[in-house]
């Protein structure tokens, strides 16, 4: 158990809909990262939040957005869903300091999104 | 741009034997971090081992060890005494610095033969 929690585990929805994925980082971790794992694209970085502020964006579609709340949990919002958005979405947390385990990202169990 | 390459999409090893998974990466940085993550059928991403580039000594974690060749930009994972529970997809990963994203290779699926 990494200490990172994600809900829900599975999500089935229809095209055009909007969903919200939730992530709670490990206790003490200020950074949350979101990744998408699909069969054709592999594991891709989406976005990074640190202590409530957006720090970096990767290959995140404009239909997707995220935020990190004062209690450090994060939500990834996916809207106008398309078939191609079906994937496993991971969040990872890290303390993000130099050296030792501070540079390691610990992953949650993921949310499997199926768009029909 | 940094890239991570795993040239072996699939590998098989007999239980109790030793297997080595290959990984190469490309970066112009001198300090960075390398990882191996394991993804079993449950799809959980589990950290296996990490290596800081400034450390010359190869990291080891029980039956798992790495061969880090900085000049060659190579980072292979050796699994000794393979067990059935080692069957999984293994991802080699690179991180430039804290507060930076992880870049993953495409993975190597490891089969353990009883």
């Amino acid at each position: 158990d990494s200490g990172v929690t994600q809900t829900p585990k599975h999500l089935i929805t229809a095209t055009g809909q909007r969903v919200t994925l939730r992530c709670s980082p490990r206790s003490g971790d200020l950074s949350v990262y979101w990744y998408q794992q699909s069969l054709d694209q592999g594991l891709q970085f989406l976005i990074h939040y640190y202590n409530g502020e957006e720090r970096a964006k990767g290959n995140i579609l404009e239909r997707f957005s995220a935020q990190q709340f004062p209690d450090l949990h994060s939500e990834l919002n996916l809207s106008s869903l398309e078939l191609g958005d079906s994937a496993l979405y991971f969040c990872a947390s890290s303390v993000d300091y130099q050296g030792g385990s501070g540079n390691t990202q610990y992953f949650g169990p993921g949310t499997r999104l199926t768009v029909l | 741009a940094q890239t991570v390459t795993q040239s072996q999409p699939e590998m098989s090893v007999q239980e109790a034997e030793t297997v080595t998974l290959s990984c190469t990466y490309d970066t112009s940085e001198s300090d960075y971090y390398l990882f191996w993550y394991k993804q079993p059928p449950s799809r959980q991403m589990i950290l296996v081992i990490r290596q800081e580039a400034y450390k010359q000594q190869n990291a080891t974690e029980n039956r798992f060890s790495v061969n880090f060749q900085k000049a060659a930009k190579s980072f292979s994972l050796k699994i000794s005494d393979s067990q059935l529970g080692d069957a999984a997809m293994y991802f080699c990963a690179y991180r430039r610095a804290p507060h930076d994203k992880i870049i993953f290779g495409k993975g190597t699926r490891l089969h353990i033969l009883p």
Side-chain angles (χ1 to χ4, degrees), chain B residues 1-7 22-36 51-55 58 66-77 92-96 103-105:
Chain B
Q2 296 95 354
T3 57
V4 177
T5 302
Q6 294 178 250
S7 58
S22 300
C23 173
T24 58
Y25 58 93
D26 188 26
T27 183
S28 57
E29 305 289 335
S30 57
D31 282 335
Y32 47 87
Y33 307 90
L34 297 166
F35 308 87
W36 280 96
Q51 174 83 42
E52 288 95 342
Y54 63 84
K55 290 186 178 178
N58 289 323
V66 298
N67 183 4
F68 173 48
Q69 301 288 326
K70 192 172 183 179
K73 297 181 183 175
S74 169
F75 184 61
S76 60
L77 174 70
C92 179
Y94 165 98
R95 191 182 193 195
R96 184 176 57 87
I103 298 170
F104 290 90

Side-chain angles (χ1 to χ4, degrees), chain A residues 17-19 21 63-64 76-81 89 113:
Chain A
Q17 295 298 305
R18 172 189 169 92
V19 296
L21 283 53
R63 300 183 286 109
F64 295 1
L76 179 67
N77 300 296
L78 314 177
S79 61
S80 302
L81 285 168
Y89 291 85
L113 173 67

Side-chain angles (χ1 to χ4, degrees), chain A residues 33 96 103-105 112, chain B residues 33 37 39 43 50 95:
Chain A
Y33 298 79
D96 274 341
N103 55 73
T104 299
Q105 293 183 14
R112 179 175 293 283
Chain B
Y33 307 90
Y37 282 89
Q39 188 176 41
R43 307 309 297 271
R50 77 173 154 258
R95 191 182 193 195

